[in-house]
Amino acid sequence: MKGKLYQYRNWLSYVLLALMFSGPFIKVNGEQLILLNILERKFVFFGVVFWPQDFHIFVLAMLTFIIFIILFTAVFGRVWCGWACPQTIFMEMLFRKIEFWIEGDANKQRKLDASTLTVEKFFKKTAKHTLFLLISFLISNVFLAYVIGLEPLIKIIEEPITLHIYGFSAIIIFTAAFYLVFSYLREVVCTVICPYGRLQGVLLDKKSLVVAYDYERGEPRGKLKKNTSGYVNTGDCIDCNICVQVCPTGIDIRHGTQLECINCTLCIDACDMVMEKINRPQRLIGFKSQEQISSKQAFRFSKRIYGYAAILGVLISVLSFLLISRSDIETVILRAGGTLYQERPDGTVSNLYNVELINKTSDPVKFELLPVEKGTSIQFIRKEDTIGKGKSVKLTFFIIKPQKDIAEYKSEIGLKVLSKGRTVEELSTTFIAPPNF
Ligand code: SF4
Ligand code: SF4
């Protein structure tokens, strides 16, 4: 294809491929740009580390992402599939181009497949599948770099296989899976397997922008006929079938919006070239809503879109607040089990506590735990002042208050965690002591 939209898709896919392959090598705050380590339950986005303690943020972020996808699909249809989905990008921009380069265009490929085995056929098929396997191996490595991290992956590559049986097996299994997908399954992934594709039926409505054939303009279709004053035909569609031939999922978009359409826009480019040749306006097939075609009105958002946008706005606001207010150290404090209070000979009362401090940053953190109220002090049984990167420490300590300051049996008491002279976490707990009458 040589159309404008195909060129845009080409450029976008180069950028996305470059980003995907370079992603594991880019470091922000000493962390990989994006890491989705499900095994260690560690997630990194743009240098910010999220641990299991941030699960509520993770759930909210997933919810926000799902609403965004629903909103995006309701407005723009399945444009993600054709323009940004890794499956389409690898298939159309890498594997299919290699296939064209080695075996020629679709007709030549069909002939080659139907022919008996010759030296040329053997050479071409071997070259193609060797390249497919190599690229699948490369994708498998990059994929693992996003899941387990670049450093562990390099270890698997550099050290003896016997030390990394599971890691090595994962590389081989993913290589086989990618090879199977890009060599044999291909568009079946988009039309049958992908759950997002299956959801189109409920996400789209008549106001959604989709790749659509303007039947009002195109019908009644028919071959071009010549008369004395030039070419004549009734509708603009000359039934040349080129839009069907270029379609990677093999559908005829003139039958209406279909589940198999991945919005790759190849049929738009193909039909535009035909329209140019027969001197008709372009975009007989284009990005249009069904309502636009039937009512010939400009594109308008539906009430559903405003509803989704409002929900998305609220979710983004809450998520932003949680991210901004997220502290570097998370603290969980509990009164020591089975204890009440201890009256001391110096006229003070103490309560025993356990505290766990979790470092959510990608550096070791020095900290100090202090009481908020004047006159109150802390006595540590086991003290530490540094938490390792991504680690936690557990401390046990007494909070001590003068008996004369105690007004009620159970009161709230405040503590603060300081790091680099800055308060990073404030917490409160209960303090039990006999009141001073
Ligand atoms: S490419 Fe355009 S003119 Fe040709 S069959 Fe498809 S819709 Fe009709
Ligand atoms: S009908 Fe086929 S060629 Fe046209 S956008 Fe959909 S998948 Fe692509």
Side-chain angles (χ1 to χ4, degrees):
M1 285 303 306
K2 289 195 180 97
K4 236 191 231 168
L5 291 171
Y6 184 66
Q7 290 310 322
Y8 294 149
R9 265 180 80 208
N10 259 330
W11 285 113
L12 181 67
S13 63
Y14 297 147
V15 172
L16 292 175
L17 282 172
L19 277 177
M20 203 202 99
F21 280 107
S22 59
F25 298 93
I26 301 171
K27 297 257 172 184
V28 181
N29 296 335
E31 290 288 343
Q32 203 166 292
L33 186 69
I34 292 174
L35 178 73
L36 306 165
N37 194 334
I38 299 161
L39 302 176
E40 289 178 14
R41 291 178 294 160
K42 179 186 175 186
F43 301 90
V44 182
F45 293 98
F46 302 98
V48 182
V49 188
F50 294 90
W51 298 98
Q53 295 76 21
D54 297 309
F55 189 67
H56 60 294
I57 297 182
F58 184 73
V59 170
L60 194 68
M62 289 311 292
L63 197 64
T64 309
F65 182 65
I66 291 168
I67 298 290
F68 171 74
I69 295 277
I70 293 174
L71 174 66
F72 188 82
T73 311
V75 180
F76 297 108
R78 214 175 160 179
V79 74
W80 155 266
C81 300
W83 287 65
C85 173
Q87 159 72 18
T88 311
I89 290 190
F90 281 127
M91 189 64 242
E92 297 299 321
M93 302 299 169
L94 217 55
F95 287 88
R96 193 152 269 144
K97 281 184 178 173
I98 290 171
E99 198 166 53
F100 267 55
W101 174 55
I102 295 176
E103 295 186 356
D105 62 22
N107 283 333
K108 286 183 183 160
Q109 285 176 31
R110 255 178 248 127
K111 267 190 199 162
L112 189 74
D113 287 342
S115 69
T116 51
L117 187 64
T118 58
V119 176
E120 187 196 353
K121 182 172 177 176
F122 176 78
F123 175 75
K124 283 186 173 173
K125 291 287 177 192
T126 310
K128 182 178 93 170
H129 286 286
T130 308
L131 276 175
F132 279 10
L133 258 177
L134 282 175
I135 296 171
S136 300
F137 178 72
L138 188 66
I139 298 172
S140 165
N141 278 270
V142 174
F143 175 73
L144 274 183
Y146 279 105
V147 176
I148 60 171
L150 185 63
E151 283 80 18
L153 177 72
I154 290 173
K155 272 190 180 177
I156 295 174
I157 295 168
E158 287 181 349
E159 293 178 2
I161 291 174
T162 46
L163 293 179
H164 301 283
I165 290 287
Y166 292 122
F168 182 72
S169 308
I171 294 177
I172 299 301
I173 291 168
F174 282 118
T175 302
F178 286 126
Y179 174 72
L180 179 75
V181 164
F182 295 117
S183 302
Y184 300 102
L185 288 178
R186 302 190 156 194
E187 278 75 26
V188 173
V189 173
C190 315
T191 56
V192 179
I193 300 171
C194 175
Y196 176 61
R198 313 295 301 175
L199 277 174
Q200 298 307 304
V202 288
L203 296 180
L204 300 179
D205 62 19
K206 284 185 174 177
K207 291 179 192 277
S208 304
L209 283 174
V210 287
V211 173
Y213 165 69
D214 189 342
Y215 51 85
E216 291 287 344
R217 226 188 94 186
E219 301 297 321
R221 70 186 79 159
K223 301 283 178 206
L224 267 187
K225 292 189 187 98
K226 215 172 180 185
N227 69 6
T228 44
S229 55
Y231 287 110
V232 286
N233 65 319
T234 36
D236 276 355
C237 175
I238 58 166
D239 210 8
C240 62
N241 242 23
I242 291 180
C243 53
V244 183
Q245 284 167 23
V246 296
C247 178
T249 61
I251 59 167
D252 186 342
I253 196 64
R254 293 172 299 169
H255 294 159
T257 306
Q258 290 150 72
L259 189 73
E260 291 84 357
C261 177
I262 56 166
N263 279 213
C264 71
T265 62
L266 280 179
C267 55
I268 300 182
D269 277 338
C271 190
D272 276 355
M273 288 196 296
V274 175
M275 291 298 115
E276 206 177 307
K277 275 191 194 143
I278 63 167
N279 284 324
R280 295 285 153 90
Q282 294 196 331
R283 297 296 145 92
L284 176 58
I285 301 175
F287 257 116
K288 300 164 197 218
S289 70
Q290 290 300 325
E291 193 185 64
Q292 253 180 303
I293 295 171
S294 58
S295 67
K296 296 193 172 64
Q297 283 177 356
F299 174 73
R300 278 179 306 157
F301 290 126
S302 63
K303 284 186 188 132
R304 189 165 73 113
I305 302 297
Y306 289 112
Y308 288 152
I311 297 170
L312 188 65
V314 172
L315 285 173
I316 290 176
S317 309
V318 177
L319 187 64
S320 310
F321 172 76
L322 288 178
L323 286 173
I324 292 166
S325 59
R326 177 180 180 266
S327 68
D328 289 348
I329 297 177
E330 185 169 313
T331 317
V332 182
I333 185 165
L334 290 171
R335 293 172 51 78
T339 62
L340 276 176
Y341 56 82
Q342 303 81 40
E343 288 179 280
R344 299 185 166 214
D346 60 354
T348 58
V349 185
S350 64
N351 282 195
L352 187 62
Y353 297 89
N354 292 318
V355 69
E356 183 176 14
L357 296 111
I358 302 145
N359 177 3
K360 296 203 274 188
T361 70
S362 43
D363 292 305
V365 170
K366 271 190 166 293
F367 71 94
E368 230 182 323
L369 184 65
L370 296 172
V372 173
E373 288 171 39
K374 278 193 183 145
T376 306
S377 60
I378 288 183
Q379 182 188 12
F380 287 95
I381 292 177
R382 203 170 60 78
K383 194 178 180 193
E384 285 185 52
D385 63 357
T386 308
I387 322 171
K389 167 184 171 180
K391 297 263 183 310
S392 65
V393 293
K394 288 181 180 165
L395 311 175
T396 305
F397 62 94
F398 288 106
I399 295 180
I400 306 163
K401 275 182 92 164
Q403 170 86 58
K404 63 178 173 54
D405 293 346
I406 295 170
E408 51 191 343
Y409 178 70
K410 196 173 188 180
S411 57
E412 283 288 306
I413 196 155
L415 296 166
K416 58 186 176 183
V417 181
L418 267 79
S419 179
K420 293 181 190 158
R422 191 170 62 88
T423 302
V424 289
E425 174 89 321
E426 287 185 8
L427 47 148
S428 72
T429 182
T430 52
F431 188 86
I432 295 172
N436 182 31
F437 295 114

